[in-house]
Amino acid sequence: MGFYTAQEITDLLIQEGADINLRTVRYYTQLELVPPLELHGNKRVYTDNHLYYFRAVLTLSKTGETLASIQETLADLSIDEIREIANQFSFLNSERIVQQHLHMVNEDVYITINKHLSADVRQKVIDSVSNVLKGINHEG
């Protein structure tokens, strides 16, 4: 497990494409959007789990969630669920969003497809996913 200072957390997130600064990292910590710092030796430090929390907060904030709503949402989740949200952070950076086409297959399933694929290939992917979902609905 890694141990980080607030500056190191900030630097890591910036390298990943986050629009964040040291003041914001400290503010999110103060608001308890992330768990309390851990004691390592005689220093209070951030850990890998904190990094997941920060990524999850940034991911949810990009969806328009308020900080209060994010705090409430994260409070009810396990660390594994927070990791799942955190892992979506890289998909939400602006460069990737510009390159993707979002398609709603149904109210439960959305797929993103790179815009550089031909229209024919994109349609085949959408049709394939739709057919799989129809098969599941007929079985259930």
Side-chain angles (χ1 to χ4, degrees):
M1 178 175 287
F3 300 104
Y4 310 97
T5 65
Q7 184 63 59
E8 290 169 333
I9 286 281
T10 304
D11 293 343
L12 282 169
L13 293 169
I14 289 171
Q15 286 173 9
E16 294 172 1
D19 183 21
I20 195 166
N21 59 44
L22 181 59
R23 175 181 263 165
T24 303
V25 165
R26 289 185 173 144
Y27 180 64
Y28 287 177
T29 304
Q30 181 182 1
L31 290 179
E32 298 178 351
L33 288 168
V34 299
L37 296 180
E38 293 187 18
L39 199 57
H40 181 69
N42 63 352
K43 290 185 174 185
R44 297 173 102 16
V45 295
Y46 294 94
T47 65
D48 292 330
N49 285 345
H50 290 96
L51 198 51
Y52 294 126
Y53 270 87
F54 279 110
R55 288 179 186 134
V57 169
L58 293 167
T59 300
L60 292 172
S61 69
K62 284 190 180 241
T63 68
E65 294 276 338
T66 65
L67 293 179
S69 173
I70 291 169
Q71 184 175 36
E72 191 174 302
T73 299
L74 295 181
D76 296 331
L77 299 178
S78 70
I79 189 63
D80 290 333
E81 292 169 314
I82 288 172
R83 273 192 204 115
E84 285 181 33
I85 295 169
N87 289 337
Q88 296 175 50
F89 175 71
S90 65
F91 293 110
L92 293 179
N93 74 38
S94 59
E95 185 177 309
R96 283 191 82 142
I97 289 173
V98 168
Q99 295 174 3
Q100 301 298 318
H101 170 77
L102 179 66
H103 180 81
M104 184 175 113
V105 179
N106 66 30
E107 63 184 34
D108 295 321
V109 177
Y110 292 81
I111 58 175
T112 58
I113 305 170
N114 191 296
K115 288 182 178 181
H116 298 296
L117 290 175
S118 70
D120 183 51
V121 170
R122 283 197 310 260
Q123 191 57 52
K124 285 179 182 178
V125 170
I126 292 167
D127 292 344
S128 296
V129 172
S130 297
N131 288 333
V132 167
L133 291 172
K134 285 177 191 170
I136 291 171
N137 288 336
H138 291 310
E139 291 174 9

